[in-house]
Amino acid sequence: MAPGQDPSVGQPEGPESGERAYAAMIAKARALVPRLRERAARTEELRFLPPETERDLHDAGLFRMLQPKRIGGAELDYVALIDCADLLGQADASAAWNLANLASHHWMLGMFEKKAQDLVWGRDPDALIASSFIFPAGRATRVEGGYKLHGSWPFSSGVASCEWNMLASVVSSDDEADGIEYRIFLLPKHDYKVLDTWNVAGLRGTGSCDVEVREAFVADHMTVAVGELAGGRAPGSKVNPNPLYALPVFSLFPYVLSGVALGNAQACLNDYIEVVRHRISTYNRAKLSDFQSTQIKIAEASAKIDAARRTMRSACIDAMEDARRGHIPDIATKTRYRRDGAFSVNLCTDAVSMLFAASGARGLFTAGVLQRQFRDAHAINSHLAFNFDAAGTNYGRVALGLPSENLTL
C-alpha cells in the first residue's frame, strides 16, 4: 500500500468483513514497520525471524488475519494479505514473507474438516503452520483410515517456529485408471524432520528449510484433496460459511506472497527518492534530482509499482465478490489470476533492478539496505508462482482452447 493511501479503499464491506476491523489490522501492521526495519540486518544474520519479531506479529494478531472468527481470528477479506505484506515488506521482506505464508495457512486450515481444525486450534489457536506445496516431492499411498506419506520437501518457510506443516503430495495408486490425485497433508512436527539447508542470497531471514517425512501415517480428516480447494464449498464450509473459505486456493496462490514483492519495491523507491533528493554527483557536483534521467526512472519505477498494486488488489477483491455471489471462476479466469500474479511481481522486480542500477556504486555496500532489497526482489521472483513463462504459457494455452497444464486449478 502506497504511503498515504486510505487503508479502507478497496476493502469490500459485507456481513463478515468490516472496514473498521480491516483498518485496525492495517494500523497494527504499519506500527511495526520501524522496528522490523531496524531488525532486518539481524534477521538476515540469524536466517530466521528473531523471537521478538514473531512475538510482535502474534501480539498484533497479524498471523490470524484470515483465521475464522469462531476461533478468535479476524476473518478479513483476502486482500488483507496483500496489504499487510505490502506494509511489512517495506520494512523487511523476510518478515513479510513469513507473515503472509503462515497467515495463509490459517485460511487454508479453515477449509479442512472441522476435526482437523479442532485438533490444531483446540490445542492452541495461535499455533503456526508451515508448508511446502511441491507435489512431486512426496508420495502418499492409501491405507486403512488414511494415508502413508513419504518424501523430502524444500522451502518450508518459518518451519522452525511451527507446530504443524501442510505438505503437498501425489497419491500413488496401483490402478492407472484412477489418474493422478493431488492432496495436502497436515502433520504435527514430531512426524517430520527439519533439515538446516537455508543458506541463500535472498530472503535469508525466512528460515525456509527442507523437511523430511519417512512413512508417516496421516488420518483421512487431516488431509484435503486439491480438487476440494478449487472454489466453492470445501469440507470446512460447514463451520466456516464465510465466502473467504470458498475461494479457489491455487488459482489465487500467487497473491499469498505477491504483496511482499510490492512492499520491497515500494521501500526501494522511497529510499531512492530520499537519497537522490539530497545527493550531489561525484563527478560534476550537480544535483542528481535535477537530472532528467533520474526523474524518468522515478516515474517509471513508481508506475510499475502502482500498476502491480492495482493488479494484485483487484484480483483478490474480484475473487471475493465472485465467492460472495456463489460463483466459481472458470478456467480462463483462474489462469488469468495466475498470469497477473506473476506479471505484477515481475513489474516489482523490474522496478527494483532499475533503481539498483541507477544508484551506482552506492548500492554495493553491504551496510546499506539497497543491496538487500535487490537480493530479496530476485529471491521473491524466483518462486515458481511468479515465473511468467509458466503462468503465461498456461494462460495462452487456455485462451487458444487447449487444456490447462496446471493440475491444481
Side-chain angles (χ1 to χ4, degrees):
M1 189 180 310
Q5 180 177 329
D6 183 347
S8 66
V9 172
Q11 171 67 8
E13 210 176 352
E16 304 294 338
S17 176
E19 291 184 1
R20 185 176 299 175
Y22 172 81
M25 190 68 75
I26 290 295
K28 290 177 181 178
R30 182 176 283 116
L32 289 178
V33 169
R35 71 182 80 160
L36 295 188
R37 184 157 176 139
E38 287 178 3
R39 294 176 192 152
R42 178 167 170 251
T43 301
E44 278 213 314
E45 291 175 7
L46 290 173
R47 296 186 297 122
F48 54 82
L49 298 192
E52 56 268 36
T53 293
E54 285 191 6
R55 187 73 266 151
D56 285 341
L57 296 172
H58 275 298
D59 290 347
L62 286 163
F63 284 124
R64 301 174 70 181
M65 72 178 88
L66 301 184
Q67 187 186 47
K69 284 183 179 178
R70 70 182 187 85
I71 308 299
E75 203 170 296
L76 298 178
D77 278 5
Y78 193 68
V79 72
L81 206 55
I82 294 286
D83 293 341
C84 289
D86 180 357
L87 279 168
L88 297 188
Q90 295 179 40
D92 179 3
S94 287
W97 182 273
N98 277 14
L99 179 276
N101 250 309
L102 302 182
S104 75
H105 301 150
H106 280 302
W107 166 62
M108 289 183 64
L109 180 55
M111 302 180 197
F112 277 67
E113 290 185 19
K114 181 179 184 296
K115 193 172 180 180
Q117 298 178 43
D118 291 347
L119 184 59
V120 176
W121 291 327
R123 295 179 185 176
D124 181 6
D126 282 312
L128 297 179
I129 308 165
S131 73
S132 179
F133 296 125
I134 301 177
F135 291 90
R139 283 293 180 273
T141 53
R142 195 79 172 88
V143 296
E144 184 176 354
Y147 298 82
K148 281 286 188 180
L149 182 65
H150 180 93
S152 183
W153 289 260
F155 311 127
S156 191
S157 298
V159 64
S161 304
C162 295
E163 297 296 315
W164 300 84
N165 211 316
M166 289 182 180
L167 299 174
S169 179
V170 176
V171 178
S172 301
S173 173
D174 294 333
D175 187 352
E176 292 185 3
D178 291 344
I180 297 175
E181 183 186 15
Y182 286 170
R183 295 189 78 87
I184 308 297
F185 296 84
L186 180 59
L187 285 76
K189 67 178 182 180
H190 60 71
D191 277 348
Y192 57 86
K193 180 180 180 181
V194 178
L195 307 178
D196 186 5
T197 54
W198 194 242
N199 293 287
V200 293
L203 294 175
R204 285 181 54 82
T206 62
S208 302
C209 294
D210 291 10
V211 295
E212 186 177 76
V213 174
R214 297 301 178 198
E215 301 298 333
F217 172 75
V218 186
D220 279 326
H221 62 271
M222 300 299 284
T223 79
V224 65
V226 167
E228 295 177 300
L229 305 178
R233 288 183 63 81
S237 296
K238 294 177 182 178
V239 291
N240 301 318
N242 189 320
L244 175 65
Y245 307 105
L247 293 173
V249 170
F250 287 98
S251 305
L252 295 171
F253 186 62
Y255 306 101
V256 170
L257 298 168
S258 64
V260 182
L262 191 59
N264 185 63
Q266 185 68 58
C268 187
L269 174 63
N270 294 346
D271 292 348
Y272 180 80
I273 290 173
E274 185 61 27
V275 167
V276 300
R277 181 179 283 133
H278 307 290
R279 190 177 173 196
I280 303 296
S281 171
T282 305
Y283 293 99
N284 60 12
R285 310 305 295 167
K287 292 178 64 178
L288 293 184
S289 59
D290 288 337
F291 289 5
Q292 185 184 56
S293 59
T294 298
Q295 297 157 4
I296 291 171
K297 283 179 173 60
I298 289 171
E300 184 178 350
S302 62
K304 288 181 176 182
I305 295 166
D306 289 350
R309 180 175 287 107
R310 285 192 295 271
T311 299
M312 293 177 195
R313 299 189 84 248
S314 66
C316 297
I317 292 167
D318 289 350
M320 280 298 306
E321 290 176 352
D322 273 348
R324 286 194 174 94
R325 293 189 292 112
H327 174 70
I328 299 174
D330 59 19
I331 193 63
T333 302
K334 290 178 175 181
T335 56
R336 175 168 55 81
Y337 285 153
R338 297 289 300 224
R339 178 202 70 184
D340 290 354
F343 188 73
S344 57
V345 167
N346 283 198
L347 286 176
C348 294
T349 309
D350 289 347
V352 172
S353 295
M354 181 176 63
L355 295 172
F356 182 82
S359 297
R362 181 183 70 86
L364 301 177
F365 288 91
T366 56
V369 298
L370 180 56
Q371 47 80 29
R372 186 181 71 248
Q373 290 163 343
F374 178 82
R375 289 185 286 107
D376 286 346
H378 285 271
I380 295 165
N381 207 97
S382 69
H383 194 289
L384 182 60
F386 307 132
N387 184 313
F388 189 76
D389 286 352
T393 295
N394 202 42
Y395 176 84
R397 284 181 58 84
V398 171
L400 292 168
L402 299 171
S404 168
E405 290 186 328
N406 188 332
L407 300 180
T408 67
L409 304 186

